[in-house]
Amino acid sequence: MNMNKMKQSDCSTSPAFLPDSIIFDMDGTLWDNVDTYAISWTRGLEKLGYSNKISRDDILGLMGKEARLMLNTLVPGWTAADQARLFEAVIESYQELLPVMKPIIYDGVLEGLERLSRRYPLFLLSNCEKGGLVNFMNHTKTSHLFMDYMEHGMNLQPKHHNLKLLIEKNKLKAPVYVGDTDSDSNQSAMANVPFVFVTYGFGTTKNYTKQFDSFTQLVNYYLNN
């Protein structure tokens, strides 16, 4: 049975699957920093002379998407060169906001990561820009808890490709990927990695190996089984 294709009704009765490592998505799984992203996009446009305002709602539906897809949605019809200039301005604006941003770190995440790291090797995987995961770890002071990470901005490859790279590089035998969207689920399936769905994030899915309604619930499950 392909565990990535299990339906919700299957999960409650399926035997526990315990991994040898846990790979986490960032946005919608560990924190909500959408307000900062929206400001960054608005300021990036301003740097190029545009007055468009990008709202939280504009960004929410694009969370977890690769930069190219976000650009095609937010500024359709722009040339690749103009999109590249905008994205550079957005990243520059985000870097300027780092000292003052106030992301919502989900309940139980900081303590939970600390507890999980005592039993499991932990990793990060995101479709964010290069340096995005480092910014997360620096802001949350969690760098010491993660063995390695991979982000879209490193090589511009899709998440399933980078998931395989991370697994091969670290010689993982039975990892799970924890995320919050149907895209995360699909990418996990393409990499043949069991997907763990957290319901408190930005999206929904019907395909997962296990689901949790809070980070603390996830932590307790993997530490008590």
Side-chain angles (χ1 to χ4, degrees):
M1 178 182 292
N2 184 342
M3 298 183 73
N4 293 296
K5 294 299 184 182
M6 293 173 66
K7 299 295 185 181
Q8 291 187 30
S9 58
D10 297 325
C11 295
S12 60
T13 58
S14 63
F17 171 78
L18 296 180
D20 70 343
S21 51
I22 304 176
I23 306 171
F24 289 99
D25 175 46
M26 177 177 64
D27 292 306
T29 301
L30 302 178
W31 75 359
D32 175 348
N33 203 17
V34 174
D35 290 345
T36 305
Y37 301 152
I39 295 171
S40 299
W41 279 90
T42 297
R43 291 188 179 181
L45 285 163
E46 289 174 351
K47 289 176 186 288
L48 300 187
Y50 295 90
S51 59
N52 308 55
K53 299 294 184 183
I54 302 298
S55 69
R56 176 182 175 86
D57 287 342
D58 292 329
I59 298 296
L60 268 180
L62 299 173
M63 291 309 302
K65 304 295 185 184
E66 298 168 12
R68 174 181 54 83
L69 297 176
M70 297 183 72
L71 286 161
N72 287 341
T73 300
L74 294 173
V75 287
W78 283 34
T79 66
D82 285 341
Q83 286 186 346
R85 288 176 56 235
L86 172 59
F87 197 64
E88 287 180 7
V90 171
I91 298 306
E92 180 181 273
S93 298
Y94 181 66
Q95 294 295 325
E96 293 167 355
L97 290 168
L98 288 178
V100 297
M101 70 180 186
K102 296 180 180 179
I104 299 169
I105 302 170
Y106 293 121
D107 289 344
V109 164
L110 298 183
E111 177 188 357
L113 289 173
E114 187 79 45
R115 292 173 61 201
L116 284 171
S117 70
R118 298 170 193 155
R119 177 169 173 179
Y120 297 96
L122 304 183
F123 301 85
L124 289 171
L125 175 74
S126 173
N127 269 339
C128 66
E129 77 286 355
K130 186 176 181 180
L133 290 176
V134 173
N135 289 332
F136 165 81
M137 289 186 282
N138 287 341
H139 185 86
T140 57
K141 297 180 173 57
T142 55
S143 299
H144 63 292
L145 302 179
F146 295 101
M147 303 290 292
D148 200 358
Y149 65 92
M150 192 77 198
E151 51 203 6
H152 175 70
M154 289 177 166
N155 58 9
L156 304 184
Q157 293 297 313
K159 186 172 280 188
H160 70 270
H161 176 90
N162 287 336
L163 186 52
K164 290 179 180 178
L165 286 182
L166 191 64
I167 291 169
E168 292 170 2
K169 177 184 176 184
N170 292 280
K171 298 179 172 58
L172 307 181
K173 301 300 182 184
V176 293
Y177 184 57
V178 182
D180 66 302
T181 66
D182 194 51
S183 175
D184 288 337
S185 174
N186 292 336
Q187 293 293 313
S188 295
M190 292 174 70
N192 199 30
V193 174
F195 178 64
V196 175
F197 175 52
V198 290
T199 63
Y200 54 79
F202 300 137
T204 61
T205 186
K206 294 182 178 179
N207 298 314
Y208 50 77
T209 300
K210 195 72 180 174
Q211 76 163 7
F212 299 99
D213 297 327
S214 71
F215 198 83
T216 299
Q217 186 183 40
L218 178 151
V219 172
N220 289 338
Y221 175 82
Y222 284 114
L223 292 183
N224 295 328
N225 283 287

